[in-house]
Amino acid sequence: MLEVQRRPAKAGDGHGNNGYINGVLPIRNPATTCEVDEFCFALGGKKPIHSILIANNGMAAAKFIRSIRTWAYETFGTEKAILLVAMATPEDMRINAEHIRIADQFVEVPGGTNNNNYANVQLIVEMAEITHVDAVRPGWVHASENPELPDALNAKGIIFLGPASVSMAALGDKIGSSLIAQAADVPTLPWSGSHVKIPAESCLVSIPDEIYSKACVYTTKEAIASCQVVGYPAMIKASWGGGGKGIRKVHNDDEVRALFKQVQGEVPGSPIFIMKVASQSRHLEVQLLCDQYGNVAALHSRDCSIQRRHQKIIEEGPITVAPLETVKKLEQAARRLAKCVNYVGAATVEYLYSMETGEYYFLELNPRLQVEHPVTEWVAEVNLPAAQVAVGMGIPLWQIPEIRRFYGMEHGGGCDSWRK
């Protein structure tokens, strides 16, 4: 990019001092714009997406840009059919980050911790308004699981490429998702909420606090009592934890006394629950894609059992350690769970699978596209970020060319098969 193009110009008036856009907005080819409209409406969509703000950095942003460019070239004959706008902190600028270099344009945002930029809901909405984008893609981590973001964007008429806030809040929380799994007849391990039942209608709204609290433990004494009920070894887990934080394995009462406060300290304010340890188990997951009309596609499965300190190291796909019949049950249970909350977008349902008994147990649902999604793309031959954009346009799953090919409805049909 030329230096004159990289020099930021302040974007708009009355939007505060945070937003800067690099140079003049690119000139869009009217023919390409019309073609995106034609694509959307020909496949039963509601609202075309011509531009996207990527509220993330690093691999999450760069992978999305490359995937959309590939899809746009295959579908419309030009990789620039969708305008892609990156967010750039001073730190990103200093290292000439890849996602800034390859984006069509970028908007400068404050530096520092992510609550100043990529996790700042108010700032993301402000940047989306400044850049006049049609949609926002959060990626993973940062604001990707904050229910306030889809609500704030929807209030401004901007599409959020992810689930609705109600679904995100219900399933993005480990305790809430386990309660909903039980209501959807998805097997769960013995845990502190095994005795808690919620009515089916609660799946579509927030779980009442008095019911939710029954599944939590608040003191060391309550944690010990719950561990004795589910049986040792057990896990002390923070509902908002992840990436190895807020989780400890305990084998007796003394270890609970020593480690309970550690879990609370690693994820401050998070509800805590107890779950039985599944010994000799594999960590399996199912990739879902859901549209706005209640259709849910299970796009094969993955095995992420090779981990270090509860963080995934190697991801395999599809699952080979379980019988095909069991894998189908995993997929059916995942689809049931997503339909229970009218989920829209990409999601991953995770399970623990016992190699000894052949039984499987719900672990959690991630309400976003995960970093390991390329494994599914390779085995399913579906461009998942592009599918997210199609779902965001309101296109039914059964109309998306790659999904039709995945289900054998169009043998050899490419991304441009919508023209036929």
Side-chain angles (χ1 to χ4, degrees), residues 99-298:
H99 75 284
I100 301 174
R101 296 199 314 270
I102 64 178
D104 295 309
Q105 61 184 84
F106 66 84
V107 56
E108 283 193 56
V109 294
T113 56
N114 70 349
N115 61 305
N116 295 324
N117 38 71
Y118 302 112
N120 189 315
V121 171
Q122 183 178 351
L123 178 69
I124 292 171
V125 175
E126 184 180 335
M127 296 302 100
E129 289 188 285
I130 286 176
T131 52
H132 305 290
V133 294
D134 298 317
V136 170
R137 200 267 184 165
W140 49 80
V141 196
H142 301 311
S144 63
E145 296 184 42
N146 188 336
E148 295 179 7
L149 183 56
D151 280 346
L153 290 170
N154 289 337
K156 301 292 184 180
I158 300 169
I159 297 169
F160 175 73
L161 297 181
S165 60
V166 174
S167 302
M168 184 186 293
L171 291 176
D173 176 270
K174 292 180 175 63
I175 293 174
S177 61
S178 294
L179 292 173
I180 294 172
Q182 289 177 173
D185 293 325
V186 180
T188 60
L189 281 165
W191 68 296
S192 54
S194 293
H195 65 289
V196 182
K197 307 299 179 184
I198 61 173
E201 57 271 18
S202 292
C203 293
L204 299 178
V205 294
S206 60
I207 299 172
D209 290 342
E210 62 272 16
I211 294 179
Y212 185 97
S213 62
K214 292 178 181 178
C216 306
V217 293
Y218 296 94
T219 65
T220 303
K221 184 177 179 180
E222 290 182 3
I224 292 173
S226 182
C227 286
Q228 291 174 348
V229 171
V230 303
Y232 289 107
M235 285 287 192
I236 306 174
K237 301 180 72 173
S239 187
W240 304 344
K245 288 187 176 181
I247 182 171
R248 290 292 187 279
K249 184 177 181 179
V250 291
H251 298 84
N252 51 58
D253 294 357
D254 290 337
E255 290 187 2
V256 177
R257 295 187 185 95
L259 299 176
F260 183 75
K261 293 294 184 183
Q262 288 187 20
V263 174
Q264 285 185 317
E266 286 185 359
V267 191
S270 172
I272 307 296
F273 66 104
I274 304 298
M275 182 169 281
K276 173 72 175 176
V277 170
S279 301
Q280 300 299 316
S281 61
R282 305 281 294 196
H283 192 161
L284 310 179
E285 53 193 26
V286 174
Q287 177 68 60
L288 296 181
L289 186 67
C290 318
D291 66 16
Q292 302 172 15
Y293 312 99
N295 301 307
V296 180

Side-chain angles (χ1 to χ4, degrees), residues 319-397:
I319 293 171
T320 58
V321 297
L324 183 58
E325 190 171 318
T326 300
V327 175
K328 288 182 179 179
K329 289 180 180 179
L330 296 178
E331 294 177 348
Q332 290 168 355
R335 294 175 68 250
R336 217 163 45 239
L337 184 62
K339 286 188 174 186
C340 189
V341 295
N342 292 337
Y343 192 90
V344 176
T348 300
V349 179
E350 302 190 7
Y351 300 94
L352 290 177
Y353 171 71
S354 172
M355 297 291 289
E356 294 179 349
T357 66
E359 296 178 328
Y360 63 93
Y361 308 97
F362 172 78
L363 189 60
E364 63 178 318
L365 182 145
N366 291 292
R368 53 179 168 78
L369 205 57
Q370 290 184 285
V371 65
E372 60 265 29
H373 74 270
V375 175
T376 293
E377 291 185 313
W378 291 327
V379 297
E381 296 185 339
V382 174
N383 185 327
L384 289 172
Q388 281 186 295
V389 174
V391 168
M393 291 185 187
I395 298 173
L397 287 183

Side-chain angles (χ1 to χ4, degrees), residues 16-80:
N17 298 319
N18 291 326
Y20 290 82
I21 301 176
N22 65 320
V24 182
L25 289 172
I27 298 174
R28 311 296 306 287
N29 186 333
T32 301
T33 300
C34 291
E35 199 161 13
V36 174
D37 291 345
E38 183 184 349
F39 167 83
C40 175
F41 297 126
L43 299 184
K46 297 177 180 177
K47 183 179 179 181
I49 293 176
H50 298 285
S51 52
I52 302 170
L53 174 69
I54 305 162
N56 215 304
N57 63 346
M59 178 185 172
K63 168 63 172 63
F64 180 79
I65 293 172
R66 295 190 185 282
S67 293
I68 298 304
R69 292 265 173 82
T70 299
W71 168 74
Y73 182 79
E74 294 173 346
T75 305
F76 307 110
T78 171
E79 64 177 19
K80 299 290 186 176

